[in-house]
Amino acid sequence: MTNVALDIALILALLLGVTSLGTSRIGAAIRYFWMQAAAVAMVPLLIETRSGGLSEVEPLIGFGVSLMLGAGLVGLSFALARQLPLPQRPASDLLIPVAFSLLMIGLLLIVSRSKAVTQVVGYLVMENGIFLFGLLLIDVFPYLIELGVLLDLFVAVFVMGIVIFHINRAFDHIDSHQLDTLKD
């Protein structure tokens, strides 16, 4: 009893996560992420029964090695998914392995890239994995939605912290009242 469209969306999300490991451009990494986010956003709709041009990325680990590690993490995810005891059968047999894969690929993006923007993309890929994994437990653990909102809030604070750090480093002060002295 598999849903073919659900499996396609999960495989697409996984392939886009692995593809983001091999990109050398920040713009491409962001495009892969939003395509992956769109595929992940389709997953809840496809589950039949549910509850109510920038500079190049300079990786710390090469792109080829990242792809090899990503492939190994995908294999490890499928092995771990078979060992996981579940309270109920998932809507797709690929849901758990893809969720684990996205978690690990996002973590690999965070630790293997040096640019803050790409690290944030890695964090968001990891968040997509958490979201997919959370779909399994929504009936058992209804507060998972609130935890997801807190995770999004953490990402927002993280990104704002990066922006403020760079503004403080570039300027002597960040007092906006000094802009009042500017005239036409």
Side-chain angles (χ1 to χ4, degrees):
M1 175 179 175
T2 65
N3 185 345
V4 176
L6 175 62
D7 290 346
I8 290 171
L10 291 171
I11 290 171
L12 182 62
L14 175 63
L15 289 176
L16 288 167
V18 171
T19 304
S20 64
L21 289 172
T23 186
S24 65
R25 309 281 296 169
I26 292 176
I30 292 171
R31 279 191 297 276
Y32 292 147
F33 166 73
W34 72 257
M35 287 187 287
Q36 180 194 56
V40 169
M42 294 302 297
V43 169
L45 300 174
L46 296 172
I47 294 177
E48 294 174 7
T49 55
R50 283 198 312 144
S51 297
L54 294 169
S55 63
E56 291 187 4
V57 177
E58 301 165 4
L60 300 174
I61 299 174
F63 298 115
V65 175
S66 291
L67 286 171
M68 298 283 281
L69 285 172
L73 291 174
V74 170
L76 179 65
S77 297
F78 275 86
L80 286 175
R82 272 191 248 137
Q83 304 299 321
L84 188 66
L86 296 173
Q88 61 191 16
R89 190 173 191 286
S92 171
D93 291 334
L94 294 175
L95 187 61
I96 297 170
V98 170
F100 277 151
S101 296
L102 292 180
L103 275 166
M104 290 191 235
I105 287 170
L107 186 60
L108 181 61
L109 277 170
I110 291 170
V111 299
S112 69
R113 301 298 191 253
S114 60
K115 300 280 187 190
V117 174
T118 311
Q119 290 173 341
V120 170
V121 169
Y123 188 81
L124 293 171
V125 168
M126 193 169 73
E127 186 180 5
N128 281 341
I130 292 170
F131 173 77
L132 287 176
F133 191 72
L135 289 176
L136 294 170
L137 304 173
I138 198 74
D139 292 332
V140 179
F141 190 52
Y143 295 112
L144 197 61
I145 306 279
E146 285 83 5
L147 290 176
V149 170
L150 286 175
L151 187 63
D152 287 338
L153 182 63
F154 177 72
V155 170
V157 170
F158 181 67
V159 170
M160 286 188 301
I162 291 171
V163 169
I164 289 174
F165 172 75
H166 287 292
I167 289 173
N168 280 335
R169 195 170 62 172
F171 299 104
D172 294 335
H173 57 81
I174 55 172
D175 186 13
S176 63
H177 291 294
Q178 291 184 359
L179 296 175
D180 294 339
T181 60
L182 297 176
K183 302 286 183 194
D184 285 7

